[in-house]
Amino acid sequence: MAQTKSIHGEWSSRFAYILAATGSAVGLGNIWKFPYITGENGGGAFVLVYLACVLAIGIPIMIAETMMGRRGRQSPINTLSTLSQEANANKNWHYLGWLGVIAGILILSYYSVIAGWAIAYVFKAIFGGFSADAAIVKSSFDDLIASPWQLLFWHSLFMIATISVVMRGVKGGLEKAVQLLMPALLVILLILVAYAMTTGEYYFQGLSFMFSPDFSEIDSDAILTAMGHAFFTLGLGMGAIMVYGSYLPSGVSIVKTSLYIAGADTVVALLAGIAIFPLVFANGLEPGSGPGLIFQTLPIAFGNMTGGWLFGILFFVLLVFAALTSSISLVEPMVAWLVENKELSRVKASVMSGVFIWALGVAVAFSFNIWSGFKIFDKTIFDFLDYLTANLMLPIGGFCIAFFAGWIMQQKDVKDELDLPEQQYKTWKFLACYIAPAAVFIVFLHVLGLF
Ligand code: PHE
């Protein structure tokens, strides 16, 4: 029988959980990745597919994943063992937990490098490095990523920060970090949107780029990227929300909290896009210029606006914190497992995981400069890891989670955990059993050219 409380502790309230889970969802995915992949994939149609994926696939899977976590009350690997036993199912389901742990390690290895760029920009902002001139801003970004040592330094700093939070555990570390930072991030994004409005016609050009869909702009790979991003940005398919769900007190509504979290995450991503694209057009930049997009646009805004020095510092500080509240959820499944199975202290487990991920991150940092010629399937190490995790591992993980919750678990247990009126339960079940897995499957077939 499942435990009633996790050995790692519990969130102190429903609100604390919402903040932490929103912290996990809102991160570089919303502010750094969403704008640049939207730019690379032609805008409106891509945004629409992404929104459809969040609604039809993301939210039902988020509910399923959180529900499984709360019922199992352990790291994703052990939760899956317990739940498959409870359902008299095959023991091998715990490998799904492993898939998640590995995806978390791989994602964090590059996530930390990008978060390192954001830390570097805090210092650029402080020392007045932001200029109103797009060319200067671009070359300053190019200089940063061309330097292996700088990237290594900032990446190391970010990993140290992540591990020092995770070490402190559920209440002490994870909760405290998010309470102030999330609302502050929202305020500064609104300031940036207000600034984007001052660009006049470019503001409308930006809006129309994001919201008028032209389906000739997207192909099957763009659809896969949009779907993969729905998983990435909500933090689904790898056990992050499962392990957070395992610290969720009984009685809190999983459906309501999931809706808040997904709603907040989507709003932040859209605001980031609305703030960035007008600047891209106003400065004659390319929407498809890749992972450097926000680092090549936002400094121009800060260089131009009154008070830009202060807002620039604030923005990048908050971006680093948004990344931190996500990165801690990326290692938490691994740390929880090490504590449960290897009887390590939380501190030891955190440090070991951190060192391992840091070492992988070194290769990612070098893939932007000295190792940029090294390709796996025609992709740099960074591009490869991003594609492998976001486009393949998370959707596969999410597919299996939906399948497990909908088809393997005994539905009386699921009902017990979700505690929903019959009609709402049926809606969720329909989405989780049929729509979400089918959608993932069809997108995969489409990419393989089979559909
Ligand atoms: N959702 C986070 C972001 O958008 C990244 C993340 C992915 C977190 C997977 C947890 C799990 O930045």
Side-chain angles (χ1 to χ4, degrees), residues 23-31 107 111 229 231-236 238 240-241 265 322-323 326-327 329-330 394:
S24 160
V26 174
L28 294 173
N30 308 59
I31 295 168
I107 294 175
Y111 203 84
H229 187 64
F231 283 98
F232 184 87
T233 188
L234 296 173
L236 301 179
M238 49 94 19
I241 197 76
D265 186 75
S326 300
S327 65
S329 72
L330 283 160
L394 300 186

Side-chain angles (χ1 to χ4, degrees), residues 119-334:
I119 306 183
Y121 269 66
V122 170
F123 289 91
K124 276 191 204 279
I126 294 175
F127 296 110
F130 291 164
S131 151
D133 180 333
I136 298 179
V137 169
K138 179 169 180 348
S139 80
S140 147
F141 175 73
D142 292 343
D143 288 348
L144 171 71
I145 66 164
S147 160
W149 300 115
Q150 284 195 50
L151 294 195
L152 205 59
F153 176 73
W154 301 118
H155 156 60
S156 310
L157 214 58
F158 185 77
M159 273 316 297
I160 292 172
T162 299
I163 295 312
S164 17
V165 179
V166 177
M167 252 163 44
R168 295 191 167 83
V170 173
K171 279 194 187 143
L174 310 193
E175 260 188 47
K176 292 243 164 60
V178 271
Q179 301 209 338
L180 223 149
L181 304 167
M182 285 292 120
L185 182 69
L186 192 64
V187 170
I188 198 131
L189 265 180
L190 289 171
I191 294 175
L192 279 169
V193 169
Y195 176 79
M197 284 179 180
T198 67
T199 62
E201 55 174 308
Y202 297 113
Y203 178 65
F204 295 102
Q205 197 181 342
L207 283 186
S208 125
F209 179 76
M210 273 184 70
F211 297 110
S212 40
D214 170 0
F215 283 93
S216 68
E217 290 278 346
I218 52 173
D219 54 10
S220 60
D221 224 36
I223 295 176
L224 177 65
T225 306
M227 180 180 78
H229 187 64
F231 283 98
F232 184 87
T233 188
L234 296 173
L236 301 179
M238 49 94 19
I241 197 76
M242 196 184 292
V243 83
Y244 275 19
S246 75
Y247 310 144
L248 184 60
S250 316
V252 173
S253 159
I254 290 176
V255 173
K256 272 196 207 139
T257 49
S258 298
L259 289 173
Y260 292 142
I261 296 158
D265 186 75
T266 309
V267 167
V268 171
L270 294 177
L271 286 177
I274 297 172
I276 284 156
F277 286 111
L279 297 176
V280 170
F281 296 119
N283 291 285
L285 299 166
E286 236 335 285
S289 50
L293 190 68
I294 65 159
F295 297 95
Q296 294 169 15
T297 47
L298 294 180
I300 306 175
F302 297 125
N304 263 320
M305 67 169 90
T306 357
W309 181 74
L310 188 65
F311 290 141
I313 299 172
L314 271 177
F315 174 81
F316 283 105
V317 168
L318 290 170
L319 184 60
V320 172
F321 278 106
L324 195 60
T325 56
S326 300
S327 65
I328 54 184
S329 72
L330 283 160
V331 256
E332 184 65 20
M334 177 171 182

